[in-house]
Amino acid sequence: MELLKNLPFETDWEKLCAKLHLDEDDAEDFLPVYRAAIAAANPKAAFTCCDVRVEGETTVFVGETRFESELLAKNFKGLTKVYPFVITAGKELHDAAQNEEDPIFRYWIEEVAEDILRSVTGGVFETIRRTYNTAAKYTMNPGSLPQWPIVNQKPLFALLGDVEGEIGVTLTPSMLMVPKKSVSGILFEAEEEYSNCALCTRFDCPSRRSPYHG
């Protein structure tokens, strides 16, 4: 497992104010919350490289870990390597939000954390590409689609090792990540463009990156 800690990130206070629909007075209240969150932030990532082989129409072995998914098998067919990862905005911001009594301030901290997570994710993928000399740029994420359910979080984490001890990300009994401003998945190469969004029926999702093509 490779580790990245205290990742560099960029945020834009004015864009966050616009996203949060803050008026001038609210923006003045938001500024010290924003600054404190930026100071506390310590985004981290864990990633690795695994051999992959596809057997039949639904069985995929990533390393020695078996996954059952027709979509995973389709996307990984013909590949020899894939790149599991977990990226987080950090336990520091999660704890700051949980310790904040004001629900509005708590929400603001979580939005800063989400912005930071979005900022660092592309850089982590670029580091994976440099580290392993790969052109991988597409991802599959447990729970993002019914075709690869969230129960696959546990074996994915096991591929990486001590994710909790190294970057502070844990799984709840329902396989949600804590801190919740975290993302997990497998980065992979593909000749044809792939996006989870193209298969997702959450048409009002604010994070949609491509239209539905199901």
Side-chain angles (χ1 to χ4, degrees), residues 10-170:
E10 296 181 359
T11 65
D12 189 312
W13 178 72
E14 292 185 351
K15 287 183 178 179
L16 275 170
C17 287
K19 179 184 177 183
L20 295 169
H21 307 289
L22 303 182
D23 61 25
E24 188 173 337
D25 290 339
D26 287 338
E28 187 174 335
D29 290 337
F30 174 52
L31 185 56
V33 176
Y34 171 80
R35 286 174 172 166
I38 293 300
N42 182 5
K44 309 171 184 72
F47 62 88
T48 193
C49 173
C50 292
D51 295 333
V52 62
R53 71 181 189 275
V54 176
E55 297 185 358
E57 298 298 320
T58 62
T59 301
V60 178
F61 286 91
V62 179
E64 296 304 314
T65 299
R66 177 174 177 163
F67 296 97
E68 289 293 333
S69 165
E70 184 177 352
L71 181 60
L72 202 70
K74 177 182 177 182
N75 284 339
F76 291 178
K77 187 174 182 179
L79 299 180
T80 59
K81 303 287 183 181
V82 292
Y83 311 94
F85 65 87
V86 177
I87 308 169
T88 180
K91 189 174 184 297
E92 296 82 0
L93 282 184
H94 174 80
D95 290 347
Q98 295 304 304
N99 293 332
E100 176 55 61
E101 295 182 0
D102 188 310
I104 297 299
F105 285 10
R106 187 184 311 124
Y107 171 67
W108 287 349
I109 295 170
E110 289 175 348
E111 286 298 302
V112 175
E114 182 173 324
D115 200 47
I116 289 172
L117 177 62
R118 187 179 298 110
S119 172
V120 301
T121 296
V124 172
F125 291 167
E126 184 57 37
T127 298
I128 293 173
R129 286 189 282 269
R130 289 198 308 269
T131 301
Y132 299 114
N133 191 28
T134 175
K137 64 177 183 178
Y138 303 113
T139 65
M140 287 198 64
N141 315 91
S144 63
L145 294 169
Q147 294 94 323
W148 200 35
I150 199 168
V151 294
N152 291 284
Q153 288 278 52
K154 190 171 183 178
L156 174 62
F157 270 53
L159 287 169
L160 289 161
D162 186 10
V163 176
E164 178 180 1
E166 294 292 353
I167 64 171
V169 181
T170 63

